[in-house]
Amino acid sequence: MDAEQLLQGMDPDQRAAVTCPETATVLHAGAGSGKTRVLTHRIAYRIAKGTADPQRVLAITFTREAASEMRRRLKNLGVSRDSQSVTVGTFHAVALALLRQRLADTHKQMPSIVHNRTQLVAQAAKDHPMSSRARELLTEIDWAHARLISPTNYAQTAKRLGRYTAAPHNEIANIYKEYEQLKVQRNTLDLDDLIARVIEAMRADNAYAQAVRWRYRHIFVDEAQDMNPLQYELFEAIRGQRADVFIVGDPMQAIYGWNGSEKKLFDELPDKIRGTTVLRLPNNYRCTPQILSAATSVAKIVDENIDVRAMKSNAEPVILRGFDDAEAEANGIVDCLWQYARLGGIDPWQSAAVLVRTNIQTELIVDALVKNNIPVRTSRPSKELTSAIADASQSTNRNELATWVTDVLTESESEVQRWVAEQVQVFLKLDHPGSVDGRTFTSWMRATSADQLNTDGVEVLTFHSAKGREWDCVVVAGAEVGLMPHNSAVSKDQQDEEVRLAYVALTRASQQLFVTWCETRKNRTAGRSSLLAGISSEPVTESAPPTFKRTKSKQPPVVSLEDDLRTWRSSRARVIKQSVETVCSDYELRLIAKQLPKTTEELAAIVGQITARRIAPDVLAIVARAETKLNTKAALATNITT
């Protein structure tokens, strides 16, 4: 794409970030500021200007989902063709590729990667009571890996930092040591070992280090506020004192300290990389002024100078509600969602979420939603789905698998079984190395997350899981003493992180925000969180939640262009069997509704040339119809006035 085209539709701060000199740059990108768009356009701009070789670009993200989204956007910008692809991946994925190549070049065998860490750590714990709490043990081991803490130093370091554990630190250290020894004995690695091995190889072999740095000359890092010391060491090893780096992060969204991340690594980057330019994206295009005001009132507890500006017009006020107990709160959340649904719009459940601090809160809320006819989006397969997949897995070869599909599609009335059969058909059309049978199909399902059948409805997830996401309507539940901030936060750093976590949760909402809490929870006194003190809204404490009539309004809801576009996007996603974000992102959809493109070229300035050519016939027709309706209404209004 032409370099100037890449700048269309950007505000001055975004343009400055995309076009800045090719020296070390740290970009502070606030929530809803369009950071992913800026980052991908920066890469595309550098390539278009000839200041970056696409085959020498390394873009590092923190999740596979973020990496997939970045690849999609780069492809839409025309910079990821087969012969000129950039490297995009998580720290672990990048390390895995480097280690495999290193071992292949030195004629050494690649160790296997531990697939069942839970079982391995349980074996390491032996008869210890913690053997049944493998996830907690793995959390501690991962924290130690991330902080470069060996088993020998674990107990002393954890004690000094006030690290809470369910068993004495020295006992955790012994299990940690045994876990590491088991990996050596079995010649296996876990994901953090991949990073550590690459760092060791680059330190031990200067020629290898220089080869890696020659391969990756232009480095881009997303969500850098979440870097932990181990990941930072890999970044520094690849960088090798060079200044061609573009690093994006938001200190106010640093929420993974409990898992080993170190916020100060991002804060100190300008001091560590000589000549670094610091830029900012203060404009928030996601949240209404009311929502952003509520979120920043919380953020100011840890950063009085936070600079974010809402670019949307005023909308619904933030609504605060307190309830007697958790059951009353769950029913109150139902009414909050029905209140949002009554505002109109197409498929309101698809654009709503309930966010909680802990997983323990979810069950009661999900039950209440289901009982009140609100669909819930699930990420875990149901028992029926698990059973259907297990049934398919019994097929011992391709023919048996194909026969199973035929039997299901001709005889079964179960929607779930038929859906699994359709997935088998997709699987059989692909090329697979080795034998094809029910077991390989099951592995494919797990690898592609295709077992997530129910993708429509309200999402219920934790604050941490909501990071990087957004919804039109959000209910932040359990905003109370003991949960927000969580009572496990003892040190100042931990308490500050809880504030940032609350800020992240509140800024997931774009149009409507509800905040709820309990006066008592599980027979303990709770009450409204002190973090909410600065939010300007009339709180209401209710024993029984207000009841909103759950029937369709007699007046048809006002359907906006954005609603029409969302409906089209959902339909297209179902046809191509992909997520809605694969069609186009929420941000791009809103820009289309705002800018009203009339030509494929104008649409390409928003979504990229490739995507524009694919969706232009549908999208431009929808936009044209919307403009016709508006013009007709305007003409009628003029005639009436006349």
Side-chain angles (χ1 to χ4, degrees):
M1 184 178 291
D2 178 74
E4 290 305 311
Q5 281 185 291
L6 293 164
L7 304 178
Q8 292 182 15
M10 291 191 165
D11 65 36
D13 296 304
Q14 293 171 333
R15 290 173 68 97
V18 171
T19 62
C20 66
E22 297 80 46
T23 55
T25 303
V26 171
L27 179 64
H28 288 241
S33 62
K35 71 172 181 62
T36 305
R37 183 170 185 244
V38 168
L39 180 56
T40 52
H41 281 237
R42 168 66 172 174
I43 295 172
Y45 185 85
R46 289 279 308 272
I47 293 171
K49 284 289 189 179
T51 62
D53 179 348
Q55 298 181 74
R56 303 289 177 254
V57 170
L58 172 63
I60 304 176
T61 68
F62 276 79
T63 66
R64 286 177 294 178
E65 293 79 11
S68 178
E69 173 65 11
M70 190 177 295
R71 291 190 199 98
R72 185 186 73 81
R73 295 199 188 198
L74 288 171
K75 184 177 180 180
N76 288 343
L77 296 174
V79 300
S80 278
R81 296 182 292 275
D82 292 339
S83 61
Q84 292 184 317
S85 61
V86 303
T87 299
V88 180
T90 63
F91 276 98
H92 291 127
V94 171
L96 175 60
L98 288 173
L99 183 59
R100 276 180 172 160
Q101 187 62 54
R102 168 69 172 173
L103 294 176
D105 292 344
T106 55
H107 307 290
K108 294 180 181 178
Q109 186 177 1
M110 176 72 188
S112 61
I113 298 174
V114 180
H115 292 293
N116 193 338
R117 299 180 68 218
T118 301
Q119 183 180 22
L120 187 64
V121 78
Q123 292 173 356
K126 298 177 182 176
D127 296 329
H128 192 282
M130 286 293 290
S131 62
S132 62
R133 302 169 70 173
R135 288 193 177 185
E136 293 179 53
L137 288 172
L138 287 173
T139 296
E140 284 308 297
I141 291 172
D142 288 343
W143 173 79
H145 279 165
R147 293 292 181 98
L148 305 174
I149 301 169
S150 67
T152 304
N153 297 327
Y154 170 82
Q156 180 182 2
T157 306
K159 181 179 180 180
R160 175 173 56 82
L161 296 176
R163 183 82 175 170
Y164 171 80
T165 54
H169 292 139
N170 64 316
E171 295 178 15
I172 299 289
N174 290 334
I175 296 172
Y176 178 17
K177 180 180 179 181
E178 181 65 22
Y179 174 81
E180 295 299 305
Q181 290 176 345
L182 284 175
K183 286 191 297 181
V184 173
Q185 292 170 10
R186 300 178 184 186
N187 192 30
T188 60
L189 304 175
D190 61 22
L191 294 180
D192 285 336
D193 292 329
L194 300 174
I195 299 177
R197 288 283 186 96
V198 172
I199 295 170
E200 290 170 6
M202 293 184 70
R203 287 175 176 171
D205 187 339
N206 185 59
Y208 171 64
Q210 292 302 325
V212 173
R213 291 165 190 157
W214 179 84
R215 170 70 176 84
Y216 297 128
R217 303 175 199 172
H218 323 292
I219 305 174
F220 299 79
V221 183
D222 191 15
E223 301 284 8
Q225 78 280 348
D226 291 331
M227 273 195 297
N228 61 46
L230 178 64
Q231 292 164 338
Y232 181 79
E233 288 294 318
L234 179 61
F235 163 72
E236 280 289 82
I238 297 174
R239 184 176 76 87
Q241 304 303 312
R242 295 170 301 165
D244 193 349
V245 294
F246 189 85
I247 306 166
V248 182
D250 180 10
M252 191 49 66
Q253 296 189 71
I255 60 173
Y256 291 106
W258 61 274
N259 204 26
S261 296
E262 184 62 78
K263 174 177 172 289
K264 71 177 183 180
L265 293 173
F266 177 76
D267 295 339
E268 295 174 355
L269 278 171
D271 298 324
K272 292 184 176 181
I273 305 177
R274 184 178 302 176
T276 296
T277 299
V278 178
L279 300 175
R280 301 180 188 278
L281 299 180
N283 294 337
N284 181 302
Y285 292 92
R286 175 191 301 156
C287 307
T288 64
Q290 290 82 356
I291 294 171
L292 194 60
S293 174
T296 52
S297 74
V298 173
K300 286 180 179 178
I301 296 173
V302 295
D303 182 4
E304 293 182 356
N305 299 316
I306 182 171
D307 179 22
V308 290
R309 299 189 288 269
M311 304 306 290
K312 281 188 170 183
S313 57
N314 287 320
E316 299 294 322
V318 174
I319 297 176
L320 307 181
R321 286 193 180 138
F323 299 91
D324 282 349
D325 54 31
E327 185 175 355
E329 183 193 33
N331 290 324
I333 290 169
V334 168
D335 285 298
C336 288
L337 291 170
W338 275 108
Q339 179 180 352
Y340 163 68
R342 281 167 53 86
L343 295 176
I346 303 297
D347 197 4
W349 311 133
Q350 191 72 4
S351 59
V354 181
L355 308 184
V356 295
R357 177 61 182 83
T358 66
N359 280 308
I360 297 174
Q361 299 167 252
T362 60
E363 185 175 355
L364 197 61
I365 294 170
V366 169
D367 286 346
L369 298 184
V370 172
K371 288 177 183 177
N372 287 274
N373 301 317
I374 295 178
V376 178
R377 190 180 311 187
T378 59
S379 59
R380 295 180 181 178
S382 65
K383 290 181 180 179
E384 186 181 4
L385 178 57
T386 302
S387 176
I389 295 172
D391 193 17
S393 72
Q394 301 302 311
S395 302
T396 59
N397 55 54
R398 177 186 285 270
N399 289 336
E400 282 191 18
L401 200 54
T403 301
W404 182 85
V405 170
T406 302
D407 291 343
V408 169
L409 293 179
T410 55
E411 299 177 7
S412 177
E413 296 182 358
S414 167
E415 180 183 347
V416 173
Q417 282 193 335
R418 295 178 68 84
W419 182 84
V420 173
E422 291 170 3
Q423 298 307 305
V424 174
Q425 288 180 318
V426 173
F427 168 76
L428 291 174
K429 291 178 181 177
L430 302 175
D431 291 327
H432 302 281
S435 61
V436 173
D437 55 22
R439 294 181 63 185
T440 54
F441 164 69
T442 303
S443 299
W444 176 79
M445 287 281 280
R446 289 172 181 159
T448 58
S449 298
D451 56 353
Q452 298 184 5
L453 176 64
N454 186 9
T455 57
D456 295 325
V458 175
E459 291 191 73
V460 182
L461 64 169
T462 64
F463 293 177
H464 284 99
S465 299
K467 175 81 181 308
R469 305 282 304 282
E470 67 175 271
W471 297 267
D472 291 347
C473 173
V474 168
V475 181
V476 175
E480 63 200 45
V481 175
L483 285 177
M484 202 175 93
H486 195 272
N487 55 21
S488 63
V490 178
S491 68
K492 185 179 185 304
D493 285 346
Q494 291 170 336
Q495 291 171 350
D496 286 352
E497 184 165 305
E498 287 291 312
V499 173
R500 296 194 296 270
L501 183 57
Y503 172 80
V504 167
L506 296 170
T507 53
R508 299 310 94 190
S510 65
Q511 294 291 339
Q512 176 70 72
L513 174 63
F514 297 93
V515 183
T516 67
W517 67 88
C518 299
E519 295 300 329
T520 61
R521 186 180 293 273
K522 291 188 175 180
N523 298 319
R524 67 166 176 80
T525 301
R528 179 181 174 180
S529 169
S530 61
L531 301 187
L532 306 180
I535 297 181
S536 57
S537 175
E538 251 340 284
V540 180
T541 301
E542 303 161 342
S543 296
T547 301
F548 295 95
K549 191 176 182 181
R550 301 182 180 96
T551 57
K552 293 183 179 179
S553 171
K554 293 181 180 179
Q555 295 295 327
V558 177
V559 180
S560 67
L561 170 57
E562 190 170 329
D563 290 329
D564 286 340
L565 289 168
R566 286 184 183 278
T567 301
W568 160 81
R569 185 178 65 167
S570 297
S571 176
R572 183 174 178 85
R574 283 193 292 271
V575 169
I576 65 176
K577 299 184 184 301
Q578 298 289 335
S579 68
V580 292
E581 287 290 321
T582 302
V583 179
C584 69
S585 68
D586 288 339
Y587 179 75
E588 292 167 339
L589 187 144
R590 285 196 292 272
L591 282 181
I592 293 170
K594 181 179 180 181
Q595 297 183 12
L596 303 176
K598 295 180 176 60
T599 65
T600 302
E601 289 70 28
E602 291 178 357
L603 180 60
I606 299 172
V607 300
Q609 291 281 7
I610 296 175
T611 298
R613 287 196 294 270
R614 188 166 58 242
I615 69 175
D618 292 342
V619 170
L620 297 181
I622 293 170
V623 171
R625 285 198 299 269
E627 287 198 285
T628 300
K629 289 179 183 178
L630 288 174
N631 293 336
T632 302
K633 288 181 179 179
L636 288 172
T638 301
N639 291 337
I640 292 171
T641 303
T642 303

